[in-house]
Amino acid sequence: MKTKRRVALLSMAICVIILSSCTSRRKINTRIQDTAVKYAITFLSNSYDYDKNKDYKLHGPYYQMDIEYPVAYELLENDTRIVTVYVYDMNELYSDGDREKENYFAFPYVFEKQSVLSEEWIYGNKDIKLNEKMTLESVETVEITEETRTTPETVYDLIKQSCYGNVDFITEKWDLITVYDYVKTYNIEINEETKTINVTPEGRRKYPVAIDGQIRMLVDFSDDFTPLGAWFMENENEPAYLSLIYDKTAFIVVNNWQPYYFANSAVITADLDDCYFDKVIVDPEGISTYINTNEYPTADCMTLVFRKSLNQLMELAHRNQPIEILFEFKQGQ
């Protein structure tokens, strides 16, 4: 009898251990995993010069028992950590979120040699291979929605008011304000389902403003001419395209769009010698560095998505006209 009782107690103990180990493994919503995968693919395609001969995977999920969000994944290249992807529930962050819908977004953290995931994080023991999910290598189509808007004279006074409201932050004394037509900016991203690169207008109008002959400010408006503020510029942080405005060279600005965090941009002209690429490189140890160059960009300094669409973007820039002066006004007018 004692032997049977010991066996029964041992069986119960084993069951308790198994159950407790099961409860320590949280079931992760597939939408959370899908969000992490989509972010990782977009990151590798847009912000990281991945090598298709290397192995890429998401390592995770990591989570904390008493905290529901975020859920974390490590993005690995040949088992070397690149970044960690945190997935949040927007309904948890914003009180006006629609609780009826699953609404997740990803945010990356660039590691500096050591993982920030401490012992409090529980590892879910699931690797997601990404190589077969890479869509950029098979992209053949680039679809461009061309910008065709104009600036009506009826909004000149509105632009002038925005200039008056911001120019005093730069200088109290000025004579002539020159407003140029807006810079045409586009977003570029990958449609994972159709394996197409889509180039679409950004939906904002940034008007360069010169004070007594020198462009010192960008006045920003939405499509419906709602003022969005102004960007002030000095010599050390002038956009690369200012010289193109002065030289009357046609160009477009393309944002290599990355959800919520990484956003690279490029100034595209019909001549590669004038193109300017601003690229975020993330090295294998995870330290971010910025590479800016006015020279002809080598393949290593260009994201893959730009390599796939550069010829079409240059054609689009060629079809544009150089930015002209929209109107001018003097102080007191």
Side-chain angles (χ1 to χ4, degrees):
M1 290 293 291
K2 289 183 179 180
T3 302
K4 290 183 178 180
R5 184 176 298 173
R6 287 175 183 170
V7 172
L9 289 173
L10 182 60
S11 300
M12 290 178 63
I14 292 173
C15 288
V16 169
I17 293 171
I18 292 174
L19 287 173
S20 62
S21 65
C22 290
T23 56
S24 67
R25 300 291 185 185
R26 186 193 308 167
K27 185 176 181 181
I28 301 299
N29 190 313
T30 55
R31 285 285 302 279
I32 294 176
Q33 176 179 300
D34 291 345
T35 302
V37 168
K38 184 174 182 180
Y39 183 91
I41 294 296
T42 307
F43 172 82
L44 289 171
S45 297
N46 288 14
S47 297
Y48 191 82
D49 288 317
Y50 72 79
D51 182 347
K52 62 183 179 181
N53 296 315
K54 293 182 179 180
D55 180 50
Y56 295 91
K57 62 185 176 183
L58 278 176
H59 194 57
Y62 291 89
Y63 55 89
Q64 300 178 71
M65 282 304 298
D66 55 342
I67 300 176
E68 189 171 5
Y69 298 102
V71 176
Y73 292 84
E74 292 179 331
L75 177 56
L76 306 180
E77 178 185 62
N78 283 355
D79 293 324
T80 299
R81 184 184 303 109
I82 302 174
V83 297
T84 256
V85 180
Y86 291 110
V87 181
Y88 293 85
D89 179 8
M90 291 191 68
N91 293 322
E92 293 289 325
L93 296 180
Y94 301 101
S95 58
D96 58 351
D98 187 352
R99 301 298 304 183
E100 300 299 322
K101 297 180 180 179
E102 294 176 340
N103 196 4
Y104 303 104
F105 77 94
F107 183 86
Y109 180 88
V110 180
F111 283 121
E112 295 184 0
K113 296 185 179 181
Q114 298 298 322
S115 172
V116 294
L117 298 177
S118 65
E119 294 179 357
E120 339 182 298
W121 290 78
I122 298 171
Y123 173 47
N125 194 27
K126 181 179 181 181
D127 285 344
I128 304 169
K129 294 184 178 180
L130 299 178
N131 288 60
E132 63 270 19
K133 300 178 184 294
M134 300 289 192
T135 59
L136 188 57
E137 293 298 332
S138 59
V139 164
E140 297 292 342
T141 304
V142 179
E143 293 185 358
I144 295 178
T145 303
E146 195 161 350
E147 174 68 272
T148 57
R149 301 171 304 177
T150 58
T151 301
E153 291 188 22
T154 53
V155 301
Y156 284 10
D157 284 341
L158 184 62
I159 299 173
K160 185 188 296 186
Q161 291 171 19
S162 187
C163 292
Y164 267 121
N166 289 288
V167 73
D168 288 342
F169 288 99
I170 300 177
T171 179
E172 295 181 0
K173 187 177 180 180
W174 56 272
D175 180 41
L176 181 67
I177 296 294
T178 303
V179 179
Y180 289 82
D181 210 347
Y182 68 93
V183 177
K184 292 188 177 181
T185 55
Y186 293 80
N187 286 336
I188 180 170
E189 56 185 318
I190 304 168
N191 186 316
E192 309 246 348
E193 295 182 359
T194 62
K195 297 182 180 179
T196 301
I197 292 177
N198 294 114
V199 182
T200 55
E202 184 184 28
R204 298 172 69 165
R205 304 174 186 231
K206 300 179 180 71
Y207 293 88
V209 177
I211 302 174
D212 292 333
Q214 181 184 0
I215 298 176
R216 304 280 302 278
M217 182 171 64
L218 288 176
V219 180
D220 199 2
F221 288 86
S222 65
D223 263 352
D224 61 358
F225 291 99
T226 300
L228 299 176
W231 300 10
F232 304 109
M233 297 172 291
E234 297 297 338
N235 292 333
E236 64 271 14
N237 61 355
E238 288 181 349
Y241 51 76
L242 288 193
S243 61
L244 301 177
I245 296 176
Y246 291 132
D247 295 340
K248 296 187 178 300
T249 300
F251 70 92
I252 60 174
V253 175
V254 181
N255 300 313
N256 191 355
W257 186 75
Q258 179 75 19
Y260 307 111
Y261 193 72
F262 290 101
N264 308 325
S265 61
V267 178
I268 306 293
T269 68
D271 185 353
L272 266 178
D273 289 337
D274 289 329
C275 287
Y276 178 96
F277 296 85
D278 184 357
K279 174 71 173 67
V280 178
I281 301 289
V282 182
D283 64 40
E285 291 186 342
I287 302 173
S288 278
T289 57
Y290 288 82
I291 294 180
N292 300 315
T293 176
N294 282 309
E295 301 175 355
Y296 175 74
T298 64
D300 290 339
C301 291
M302 295 172 57
T303 58
L304 291 177
V305 71
F306 276 126
R307 291 185 220 168
K308 287 281 186 175
S309 55
L310 183 59
N311 289 336
Q312 291 91 332
L313 292 175
M314 291 176 65
E315 290 176 8
L316 176 60
H318 180 69
R319 291 196 296 269
N320 275 271
Q321 298 297 317
I323 292 181
E324 300 286 348
I325 293 175
L326 201 60
F327 65 92
E328 295 180 310
F329 63 96
K330 293 187 176 182
Q331 197 164 19
Q333 289 183 343

